[in-house]
Amino acid sequence: MLILGLTGSIGMGKSTTAKLFAEAGVPVYDADATVHQLYEGEAAPAIEAAFPGTTVGGKVDRAKLSARVVHDPTAMKQLEQIVHPMLGASRQKFFEDAEASGAPVVVVDVPLLFETGGEKRVDAVVVVTTSPEIQRERVLARGTMDDERLDAILARQLPDAEKRRRADFVVDTSHGLDPVRAQIKDILAEVVKMPKRRIEFARA
C-alpha cells in the first residue's frame, strides 16, 4: 500500500482536494478532523490541565486554546506533546484498516507535513496551491480570521514556493473542481508505478 502525503498552506484548497481524493475511492486520513475529535473527548482533560480555562463543558474551546498558544512556541510544543501521540495511534489504526481492505493507495492529509518531517513517512507528497491573492481572499471570506492572525499562521508554515519545490505532485486549485479531478486521476495513475520510499511506517 502506498501512502500519499497531502499538504498545502491555509486557504489553498487542501480540504476540497482531500474530498475529491475520497470521491475517487481513496481512503483519506484527515489529521485536522481527528484533532477536532480529540479536542471534543480524549485530549480535553490533559489540555485543560496544561492550559487551565481552555475547555468548556469537557470540550476544548479552540479559540481560547489558539489565543493561548499561537504566539508562544513553548506552549505550542507542550500542546503537540499532548496531541501527537494520540494522533499517531489513530493514524496507525487507519493504516491497518485500509491495508486490510486492500486499498492500493491511501492519502494522509497533514497541514504541517514538511514542518514536522512527515515527508519521510510517506511515499510521495502532493502539494495543493493557488495564487497568494486567491489564498488570502478564501481565508478572509470565512469570517473567522483577520489579516494579522492569517499572517501569524503563514509565518509558521513553510512558504508555498518551497513546498511546491519539494513536492512530487502539485495540484493547482485556482480554476475550479474539474481540473483538480483531472489532476487527481493523473496522480493516481502515476503513483501506483512509483517505488515505496518511506523510511518508516507512518506512526509518528
Side-chain angles (χ1 to χ4, degrees):
M1 187 176 78
L2 285 152
I3 301 174
L4 266 180
L6 179 69
T7 194
S9 299
I10 186 171
M12 292 299 194
K14 182 177 59 60
S15 297
T16 301
T17 303
K19 286 190 182 90
L20 295 177
F21 268 107
E23 183 187 278
V26 180
V28 175
Y29 177 83
D30 183 335
D32 266 358
T34 307
V35 169
H36 275 278
Q37 290 165 7
L38 291 171
Y39 279 4
E40 292 192 354
E42 189 184 346
I47 290 172
E48 176 62 29
F51 307 102
T54 57
T55 66
V56 177
K59 296 179 181 180
V60 173
D61 183 314
R62 291 174 74 92
K64 287 181 179 174
L65 181 63
S66 177
R68 189 77 67 89
V69 304
V70 75
H71 297 296
D72 184 343
T74 306
M76 184 65 81
K77 191 142 200 66
Q78 193 180 357
L79 177 62
E80 286 169 357
Q81 284 167 349
I82 295 167
V83 175
H84 282 184
M86 297 178 188
L87 263 180
S90 76
R91 188 157 56 227
Q92 185 62 23
K93 184 176 185 319
F94 165 81
F95 286 131
E96 287 165 2
D97 291 349
E99 198 143 47
S101 77
V105 181
V106 296
V107 165
V108 184
D109 175 351
V110 185
L112 298 177
L113 185 81
F114 289 120
E115 292 85 345
T116 56
E119 74 275 17
K120 299 185 193 77
R121 297 188 288 272
V122 297
D123 297 303
V125 175
V126 180
V127 166
V128 183
T129 190
T130 189
S131 71
E133 295 76 22
I134 292 176
Q135 177 190 30
R136 189 165 286 270
E137 189 183 303
R138 282 176 181 166
V139 174
L140 296 179
R142 295 175 188 174
T144 55
M145 184 102 48
D146 56 24
D147 279 297
E148 188 186 348
R149 189 149 164 248
L150 174 57
D151 289 336
I153 289 170
L154 291 175
R156 285 212 318 272
Q157 297 186 343
L158 201 65
D160 179 55
E162 177 63 14
K163 284 180 178 162
R164 283 186 277 116
R165 190 185 70 75
R166 291 165 64 177
D168 297 286
F169 304 101
V170 175
V171 171
D172 188 340
T173 64
S174 307
H175 309 291
L177 297 183
D178 284 337
V180 176
R181 285 191 180 96
Q183 291 170 78
I184 286 171
K185 193 175 173 190
D186 292 344
I187 290 167
L188 292 175
E190 197 59 39
V191 77
V192 291
K193 304 175 199 164
M194 294 173 67
K196 286 187 182 180
R197 69 156 194 240
R198 60 184 180 266
I199 292 168
E200 55 185 281
F201 200 69
R203 290 170 189 272

